[in-house]
Each structure stands twice: as C-alpha cells, then as structure tokens.
C-alpha cells in the first residue's frame, strides 16, 4: 500500500472572506480585485453570488456596486 498525499483542500468562502470581498468591492468596484483580496477567484465569487441570491450577501454586493457607481458619477459627494 502506498501513501499518497491527500488532494489539496478547496478554498471556501468563509464569512470573513465574504466581508473582505465586500469591503474590497466597495473600495475598487472590481470583482476580480475584490476576490483576489479575499484569496478567491472572480469566477468563484460569481458562483457564490448566484448560490446566495436573495441573501444579505447578494443584496450587499448590489448595494456596494451601486454606491461605487454613485461615487464615480459624483466624486465630490
């Protein structure tokens, strides 16, 4: 019997990573940058959002991006 190493663990979206993502999304307006800040991929962020549709996470995502767009439209507000 040979000892084979276990497969690498997949990263998971913990509540802490979700908070990091949302803060970075608020600051950058960019899903890829926010996902990287949380140590996750852009595609996994979109999958999470789809999976959590209608939850506070998805609503906050929408709100954060709307706020980012408002700040771009009026940077002196």
């Amino acid at each position: 019997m040979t000892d084979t190493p276990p497969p690498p663990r997949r990263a998971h979206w913990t509540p802490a990573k979700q908070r990091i993502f949302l803060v970075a999304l608020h600051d950058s307006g960019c899903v890829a940058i926010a996902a990287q800040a949380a140590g996750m991929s852009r595609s996994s962020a979109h999958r999470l959002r789809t999976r959590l549709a209608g939850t506070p996470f998805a609503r906050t995502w929408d709100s954060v991006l709307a706020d980012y767009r408002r700040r771009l439209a009026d940077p002196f507000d």
Side-chain angles (χ1 to χ4, degrees):
M1 184 172 186
T2 61
D3 288 329
T4 59
R9 292 197 62 191
R10 290 180 50 192
H12 295 283
W13 280 97
T14 64
K17 286 183 178 185
Q18 291 177 30
R19 284 189 295 275
I20 291 167
F21 172 83
L22 291 170
V23 168
L25 186 62
H26 179 269
D27 293 342
S28 69
C30 177
V31 173
I33 291 171
Q36 183 179 19
M40 303 298 283
S41 71
R42 178 188 58 80
S43 60
S44 71
H46 283 289
R47 283 193 305 272
L48 178 69
R49 186 176 186 283
T50 299
R51 194 168 64 248
L52 298 181
T55 67
F57 175 81
R59 288 192 302 269
T60 302
W61 179 321
D62 292 340
S63 176
V64 160
L65 287 181
D67 183 55
Y68 185 81
R69 287 189 295 272
R70 276 191 299 273
R71 287 184 285 138
L72 283 181
D74 187 2
F76 301 107
D77 185 24

